[in-house]
Amino acid sequence: MKRIKGFAFLCILAFLTVSLTGCGGDSSTPESAKFFLISGVVEDGPIENARVSLRDKENKSLVESSTLTDSNGDFSLQVPVGMDLVGVSVVAVGGIDRATRIDFTGMEMRSPLALFKGDVTKIVVSPLTTLIAELQDQNISFENAESLLRNWLTLSPEFNLVAEPHTNLDLLRRTLLLTQIAREVKSRTPTANPFVAIAENVAKQVPLFATQTTCNIDTLKALNLTPDAQTRISEMQALLSEALTIEDAAAILKQKELMDLFSASVKIILNDDGVFAELKNNPIYKENLELLAKVTLNAAGSDVIILGGPISQRITRYVVVIHQLHTSVIWADSANFEKKLAAIETDPLITELARNGFLNTEDRLFAPLGDDNWKRHTYYFISNHSHYFQAEQLIKQVFDDAINDAVQLKIIEGKATDDLIDETRAIIADQIIQSEPKANAYRALANALIKSHRPQEALEFLEFARDLYRKVIATKGEASASATDVANLLTTASLYRKAGDLLNAESLLGDIAAIAQALASDAIIYGKLITGIKNVADAYIADGDLEAATPLIEKMDHYSGLTPPYLGTYKLRIFNWSETAKRYADLGNGTKVVEVFYKIQELRKVEGSVEATYWGPVVSLVESLYRVGARGEALDLADTIPGGTTDQSKAFKLVATYEALQGFMDTAFSIVDNSSYVPKDEDRIDLLTYFNSSRPYIGQVLINNGRFNEARQALEKAKDILDGMTLSNNLDRISNGYVRVAELYAQMADVDKAKELLQSAQKAIADDPYVVTALADIALGYHNHEETVTALTLLDDAKRLADADPAHYRANVTPGLGAEEYAAQLYEKLVKSYEEVGDNLGVRSTALSFQSWAQQIHTAGTVNDALAVKECDYLLRAALYLDRAGYHSDALNAVTAAQESSRQIAVVATQLKKFLNIITTYAVVHEYEKALALALSLEFTSERNQAIQTLANAYIDRDDFPDTWVASIDSDGDGMPDFFNPLASTEEIAASGLIMDDDSDGDGILDSQDFRPLFDDRL
């Protein structure tokens, strides 16, 4: 039998004695006698809806069940008789302080049962009991822990530290202040338990208070708090010291919390640290801040507003922006500020925001928006019109943590991009508990800030993510780290690099190196490590800091040599070394490039081995050797590549390009003319021009270096080849030949020569089967030279030919396509061309033809999933073309047709994938109700959940202006944004060419007069 120790034994014995006496000595045991109750209260003030459980010394839960505190903070837990309660604590997580309305989500407090000397029916869990528990964890006895805490809080011995705080004003003052300190510590270091840091401070025996009304700044500094946080806590202590009653103390905390939130909103909106610094030292500003907090609490209802989460963030921003408190002049003027307060006090929408978190745009009248960008931005994001609100409401229907977490991450990144940083921070703190998901969220927030040109702000959140990832890995041990752990570190290092903090990026790569050494047989880990080092080295090289890049490239060399075999071969090691050689070439270190070359050759020397025939990295190595002047080695290496292969052709294209760049045009052209090295005419054209934007060859490289005369030699040679080409597929001759060469002449400002080449292209096509596609490419060439009339004439000619016989003028040479799919591809090519030229009528005409042919690809009633999938995909693309051109009803018809096609798919998983594509497309064309109806019509819960997640993601991803970041929302679809991103500069907005909409909902009532600016009043 398990031994029951100490006071727990006495408690249980007494309990059993009473129970058995009540049973009259019956040998049967009543069910109730198998359990006893542990009960008590969770307080700061009383905290309701806190999750309460029991944990042992190892922080493991002892009872499967847990419970929530009631409105008074009370709880009770049913515990089996016989449980060993020595070392057990009651732990409370989350909840809302009923008196102050502070949100404790993500905060944990605890209380050891031993503090209550056997009476387990009067347990108190508070900040004070939590600190005693943390001090005991530092091997400090209960008596000494109490003494240290009393001294730190300047409390005399008669105060009972484990009493309910609301029973004594002095205790309550301290617990309220401790809660604020804990929240500030947690916001500074979200990865740690704030009470641990506070307890360490208590143990140092430096008192918290300098005087009765002031805090000891040295103590606050020791908690690693920012100067602003130190000021907030000191101000809170001064205010709490003036409280005469328990009710006063709670009211003071609520008011101060709102004051700080208002101050944060003002700082963001002013967007000028100098102006704000001057303003916050103005006594009138401080008086107005206090008045505003009081008025807002009254307007919201003091028992309604929850502080510390996203709702309070929305309320303060709403009040500051909508009531025009966004200039420093207003805050420094008592008379004008009082006029604003009168309107705030009677604003019914503040109560709605406090209760629901959002404004209903349909039912509530509102002050007209006018052309105030901040006002418009804030109104949209706190209204139920916001796409984030729609996503949040939708995902409530899904009871799946994996899906909820994924959607939450997208919401976080999206809101951060839209400058809702405070709200985003609150969501992470309040709604995500586990370490890795929380780290992912902070990383998403940092990524959004970097994308929004705010790298310095991103660094704080990258630090949070980094520490959490390290905590996860430390818990399991480096030898047990997973590929996901490495990917998390690598992505975070990449973001540090993008934010400009290369030292922290390198530090994380050191973490990956430690994992690689612990997992010495995992080649993939080494590959990820080398990729991360490469990215940081590339950043240094891009900045011209070759000295900082050098040791990193040496690390790449070292870890390449350590890379173990993967699937029995050293291909990955060869690849890693080839990447290293590229970076040595960037440094201009020819000796090291040649060293790497010989190391790779050593691995490849076994004739017939997999390594010996691994040619991809060899092509890269040829280029690296050439770049450092090792011309002989480069040519010899290229010659080892089997003749007539794509890899050999790539290698000699690089060789020829470097010969031309070094001025050896004859050598370069001799390679062009060598059919063994470059066997196809199409490849010769590539070599004389470019392959794509990321791989320039002779012509493009010479133009990029300003060597136009030599570039013309290459282009003239290209034209001679084009004129003599006879191909079964004439499309390469036109689109990748004449049109491409014309483009390069245009880059040299030789427009006449460019047009001459386009005319040559027109003459070359005659009645070629590819004439329609070729005409489209030539048309775009003219469009790029601002010859729009000529471009449209050619496109109209192309469409006329297509309409006559689309199967003849096929779009490509993909074997096995039916005539219907040939025709669909042909019309899609024309749709894209009309769209690029900007002819919406042409887009509609060709898109409808595209749709018509697409609908014939699969025959209804037959089982051919491949054709049904193609038909569905084509129809969805047709819908998007039509919607972008402004033909919404046509677009909707195309999506509906796609939905019918998808129902012909027999394989359930394939059909579900198409349904998800259709839901996304419905959302893109703003048919959200149809998307939801399709999602809810799915038979199985798992399918519905996936569909709802897809729709939620579509809401979050909404961007009505994908070509620019300065705006994203166009409520009425008229091509004009409701507002601009507040972070966009005047110059960026002007460059976008966008003009703010003066009627956001398109109901004919200007926003300067519309009291429901996001609700179509015609409805």
Side-chain angles (χ1 to χ4, degrees):
M1 180 178 174
K2 189 173 183 180
R3 185 173 174 226
I4 303 175
K5 302 177 183 177
F7 77 90
F9 175 81
L10 297 175
C11 246
I12 295 167
L13 181 61
F15 182 87
L16 289 175
T17 302
V18 171
S19 299
L20 292 172
T21 302
C23 292
D26 192 337
S27 61
S28 64
T29 304
E31 187 67 25
S32 60
K34 298 178 182 178
F35 299 93
F36 67 98
L37 292 180
I38 293 178
S39 58
V41 65
V42 180
E43 281 209 8
D44 170 49
I47 298 175
E48 59 183 330
N49 287 324
R51 175 67 62 182
V52 179
S53 60
L54 292 181
R55 295 188 199 164
D56 63 15
K57 289 180 180 178
E58 283 73 41
N59 205 30
K60 295 177 182 178
S61 178
L62 293 182
V63 185
E64 289 186 7
S65 62
S66 59
T67 187
L68 292 174
T69 55
D70 63 17
S71 60
N72 295 316
D74 293 331
F75 69 89
S76 61
L77 284 168
Q78 189 170 258
V79 180
V81 168
M83 177 178 287
D84 187 348
L85 297 179
V86 173
V88 170
S89 295
V90 175
V91 178
V93 179
I96 305 292
D97 186 323
R98 194 187 67 188
T100 64
R101 307 305 292 167
I102 291 293
D103 189 344
F104 274 73
T105 302
M107 294 278 282
E108 178 180 297
M109 296 191 295
R110 62 189 178 114
S111 186
L113 294 180
L115 298 183
F116 300 91
K117 301 176 182 177
D119 190 349
V120 294
T121 63
K122 294 182 180 179
I123 305 300
V124 174
V125 183
S126 73
L128 295 172
T129 65
T130 305
L131 287 177
I132 291 173
E134 296 297 342
L135 289 166
Q136 288 181 300
D137 284 351
Q138 298 177 32
N139 295 319
I140 298 172
S141 69
F142 170 66
E143 292 76 13
N144 287 338
E146 273 199 320
S147 176
L148 285 170
L149 188 54
R150 288 181 198 282
N151 293 336
W152 194 71
L153 292 173
T154 320
L155 283 171
S156 56
E158 67 266 18
F159 283 102
N160 180 4
L161 297 183
V162 298
E164 297 178 27
H166 82 276
T167 61
N168 183 289
L169 178 58
D170 283 319
L171 279 182
L172 184 64
R173 283 174 177 151
R174 273 122 177 119
T175 57
L176 293 179
L177 186 65
L178 279 173
T179 295
Q180 290 305 102
I181 294 173
R183 292 173 68 211
E184 293 283 6
V185 171
K186 190 167 181 62
S187 70
R188 182 66 178 160
T189 314
T191 59
N193 180 342
F195 289 106
V196 173
I198 296 172
E200 289 172 353
N201 194 288
V202 172
K204 293 176 182 175
Q205 303 185 52
V206 179
L208 175 60
F209 303 115
T211 69
Q212 185 177 354
T213 60
T214 61
C215 289
N216 188 329
I217 295 300
D218 289 336
T219 301
L220 299 181
K221 285 180 179 177
L223 288 167
N224 197 30
L225 295 175
T226 65
D228 283 346
Q230 295 169 29
T231 300
R232 286 192 293 270
I233 291 170
S234 295
E235 290 174 347
M236 176 68 78
Q237 167 57 17
L239 291 169
L240 286 173
S241 66
E242 298 174 2
L244 299 178
T245 66
I246 288 170
E247 291 73 21
D248 283 347
I252 283 169
L253 187 142
K254 284 190 286 189
Q255 181 177 311
K256 182 64 171 62
E257 174 77 10
L258 270 192
M259 288 171 65
D260 291 339
L261 286 170
F262 275 123
S263 192
S265 292
V266 172
K267 182 177 182 180
I268 291 170
I269 291 170
L270 290 179
N271 199 27
D272 187 322
D273 290 342
V275 171
F276 181 74
E278 183 177 341
L279 178 63
K280 72 177 184 179
N281 292 322
N282 188 323
I284 297 176
Y285 168 71
K286 293 180 180 179
E287 291 172 7
N288 286 338
L289 201 61
E290 184 176 349
L291 286 171
L292 181 61
K294 288 179 180 178
V295 166
T296 304
L297 282 169
N298 290 335
S302 58
D303 292 332
V304 173
I305 185 171
I306 295 175
L307 300 171
I311 291 177
S312 55
Q313 302 280 357
R314 291 171 189 156
I315 290 173
T316 53
R317 180 167 286 202
Y318 166 84
V319 170
V320 170
V321 175
I322 300 305
H323 287 278
Q324 305 290 320
L325 303 176
H326 57 289
T327 69
S328 59
V329 174
I330 291 174
W331 282 94
D333 184 334
S334 298
N336 284 332
F337 201 85
E338 286 183 10
K339 293 177 184 177
K340 299 284 187 182
L341 292 177
I344 295 167
E345 195 161 24
T346 57
D347 185 346
L349 298 185
I350 295 176
T351 302
E352 182 175 340
L353 265 176
R355 290 183 183 277
N356 305 319
F358 285 89
L359 299 177
N360 189 310
T361 57
E362 180 178 350
D363 298 336
R364 296 288 186 260
L365 296 179
F366 198 78
L369 294 173
D371 60 356
D372 187 318
N373 190 63
W374 257 105
K375 194 172 180 180
R376 286 164 163 263
H377 174 270
T378 295
Y379 172 59
Y380 174 82
F381 283 114
I382 62 171
S383 75
N384 65 345
H385 202 77
S386 162
H387 52 298
Y388 297 126
F389 171 77
Q390 303 296 336
E392 287 164 342
Q393 293 300 105
L394 192 62
I395 208 65
K396 288 178 181 178
Q397 302 180 53
V398 178
F399 299 99
D400 184 318
D401 287 341
I403 288 176
N404 279 287
D405 285 349
V407 173
Q408 197 71 267
L409 275 178
K410 287 184 71 70
I411 289 174
I412 285 164
E413 187 158 17
K415 286 189 172 184
T417 302
D418 285 311
D419 195 35
L420 304 171
I421 302 300
D422 287 341
E423 184 171 324
T424 305
R425 185 198 289 261
I427 290 171
I428 298 174
D430 297 345
Q431 299 183 31
I432 303 178
I433 304 301
Q434 293 183 319
S435 293
E436 187 170 348
K438 189 181 281 286
N440 293 339
Y442 279 123
R443 194 179 76 199
L445 172 52
N447 187 41
L449 287 166
I450 291 168
K451 288 179 179 177
S452 300
H453 315 302
R454 303 162 75 179
Q456 289 305 307
E457 291 178 63
L459 292 175
E460 174 188 2
F461 302 109
L462 285 176
E463 181 183 339
F464 297 160
R466 178 201 65 196
D467 292 348
L468 283 165
Y469 287 136
R470 283 175 168 169
K471 176 181 176 183
V472 169
I473 293 169
T475 299
K476 63 176 71 172
E478 290 169 347
S480 300
S482 66
T484 300
D485 294 322
V486 173
N488 286 335
L489 293 176
L490 187 57
T491 304
T492 307
S494 177
L495 290 177
Y496 265 121
R497 175 178 59 81
K498 291 176 182 177
D501 187 345
L502 298 179
L503 290 178
N504 264 311
E506 288 185 54
S507 173
L508 282 168
L509 296 176
D511 292 352
I512 300 175
I515 293 171
Q517 290 167 2
L519 300 169
S521 62
D522 194 332
I524 298 300
I525 297 294
Y526 277 91
K528 290 181 179 294
L529 170 61
I530 291 167
T531 297
I533 297 172
K534 175 188 71 178
N535 290 338
V536 178
D538 285 348
Y540 279 127
I541 292 169
D543 289 341
D545 191 349
L546 302 187
E547 185 178 349
T550 299
L552 290 173
I553 297 167
E554 289 170 351
K555 286 182 181 179
M556 288 179 65
D557 197 346
H558 173 69
Y559 289 121
S560 295
L562 293 179
T563 304
Y566 177 65
L567 299 179
T569 79
Y570 282 100
K571 290 171 65 175
L572 187 56
R573 183 182 292 188
I574 292 172
F575 174 80
N576 290 340
W577 257 328
S578 71
E579 290 294 296
T580 303
K582 283 183 187 179
R583 274 72 203 175
Y584 277 134
D586 288 334
L587 299 180
N589 191 333
T591 302
K592 285 291 187 182
V593 173
V594 173
E595 281 182 14
V596 171
F597 160 64
Y598 283 117
K599 285 189 281 193
I600 289 177
Q601 290 298 78
E602 185 68 20
L603 276 180
R604 299 180 67 246
K605 70 180 181 181
V606 180
E607 187 176 348
S609 69
V610 173
E611 291 87 352
T613 56
Y614 183 35
W615 301 109
V618 171
V619 175
S620 170
L621 191 55
V622 167
E623 182 174 22
S624 298
L625 289 165
Y626 231 100
R627 288 171 59 200
V628 295
R631 189 173 175 226
E633 287 89 344
L635 286 168
D636 289 344
L637 184 59
D639 265 327
T640 66
I641 302 174
T645 63
T646 301
D647 288 318
Q648 188 194 51
S649 178
K650 286 180 182 177
F652 276 103
K653 284 178 181 179
L654 293 170
V655 168
T657 301
Y658 277 97
E659 292 286 357
L661 197 55
Q662 293 171 37
F664 303 119
M665 295 298 293
D666 289 342
T667 305
F669 286 161
S670 70
I671 293 173
V672 174
D673 294 333
N674 190 322
S675 59
S676 297
Y677 294 154
V678 191
K680 298 179 182 178
D681 283 341
E682 305 91 288
D683 288 331
R684 290 192 179 91
I685 300 301
D686 284 350
L687 177 50
L688 290 164
T689 56
Y690 62 83
F691 179 70
N692 56 39
S693 59
S694 65
R695 173 46 72 192
Y697 287 128
I698 295 173
Q700 185 70 75
V701 164
L702 291 170
I703 290 171
N704 291 346
N705 283 272
R707 293 161 60 177
F708 290 174
N709 288 334
E710 292 163 294
R712 283 190 176 87
Q713 294 177 39
L715 297 184
E716 286 167 7
K717 189 173 183 65
K719 184 180 182 302
D720 290 340
I721 294 172
L722 288 167
D723 290 341
M725 281 174 71
T726 54
L727 295 174
S728 58
N729 179 354
N730 207 23
L731 185 58
D732 274 337
R733 184 182 181 197
I734 306 303
S735 306
N736 299 326
Y738 287 115
V739 175
R740 181 187 293 178
V741 175
E743 176 198 335
L744 293 182
Y745 271 112
Q747 289 183 23
M748 296 186 291
D750 193 342
V751 177
D752 291 338
K753 188 67 175 179
K755 290 180 181 178
E756 178 188 319
L757 280 156
L758 293 175
Q759 290 164 3
S760 297
Q762 286 178 258
K763 293 174 184 175
I765 54 180
D767 190 34
D768 190 278
Y770 297 91
V771 63
V772 171
T773 306
L775 282 171
D777 286 327
I778 296 168
L780 293 180
Y782 278 109
H783 174 63
N784 292 335
H785 293 96
E786 300 183 357
E787 295 277 354
T788 303
V789 173
T790 304
L792 286 174
T793 300
L794 290 173
L795 285 177
D796 290 343
D797 287 345
K799 185 176 183 302
R800 175 178 51 77
L801 291 171
D803 290 343
D805 188 356
H808 175 69
Y809 299 112
R810 55 192 182 276
N812 59 41
V813 289
T814 305
L817 296 185
E820 296 81 11
E821 190 172 356
Y822 276 130
Q825 289 188 358
L826 184 65
Y827 279 108
E828 184 170 19
K829 171 71 176 181
L830 291 175
V831 174
K832 291 178 179 178
S833 300
Y834 274 115
E835 187 175 60
E836 190 166 341
V837 173
D839 182 355
N840 286 337
L841 285 173
V843 170
R844 181 176 188 268
S845 175
T846 49
L848 290 175
S849 297
F850 172 38
Q851 176 184 338
S852 176
W853 283 102
Q855 284 182 262
Q856 300 175 52
I857 291 173
H858 178 259
T859 303
T862 64
V863 179
N864 190 326
D865 281 6
L867 292 182
V869 165
K870 285 183 176 181
E871 181 170 302
C872 182
D873 289 343
Y874 284 138
L875 289 170
L876 291 177
R877 294 205 295 272
L880 295 176
Y881 293 128
L882 289 163
D883 188 66
R884 287 197 294 266
Y887 299 100
H888 181 72
S889 60
D890 291 328
L892 189 55
N893 290 337
V895 184
T896 303
Q899 190 169 331
E900 291 304 312
S901 297
S902 68
R903 297 193 187 281
Q904 302 290 319
I905 298 172
V907 177
V908 174
T910 306
Q911 186 183 63
L912 175 61
K913 185 177 179 180
K914 290 301 109 183
F915 282 155
L916 298 181
N917 291 344
I918 291 164
I919 286 168
T920 299
T921 307
Y922 269 132
V924 170
V925 301
H926 294 182
E927 288 289 344
Y928 295 105
E929 290 184 6
K930 292 183 182 297
L932 181 58
L934 176 56
L936 296 179
S937 73
L938 300 180
E939 181 177 0
F940 299 106
T941 300
S942 60
E943 293 178 345
R944 287 196 299 275
N945 285 352
Q946 287 186 62
I948 289 172
Q949 179 186 9
T950 298
L951 180 53
N953 289 341
Y955 274 121
I956 297 162
D957 290 336
R958 176 179 177 179
D959 187 352
D960 300 328
F961 302 95
D963 296 329
T964 178
W965 77 284
V966 304
S968 58
I969 301 300
D970 175 16
S971 293
D972 58 2
D974 62 358
M976 303 172 72
D978 294 6
F979 51 85
F980 294 107
N981 190 307
L983 300 173
S985 67
T986 303
E987 293 75 18
E988 287 171 320
I989 292 171
S992 73
L994 296 173
I995 299 173
M996 188 186 292
D997 198 351
D998 59 4
D999 179 12
S1000 298
D1001 54 17
D1003 61 0
I1005 304 172
L1006 296 178
D1007 290 336
S1008 58
Q1009 303 166 9
D1010 197 341
F1011 288 92
R1012 291 188 292 197
L1014 287 178
F1015 176 71
D1016 188 342
D1017 288 279
R1018 294 172 299 183
L1019 301 177

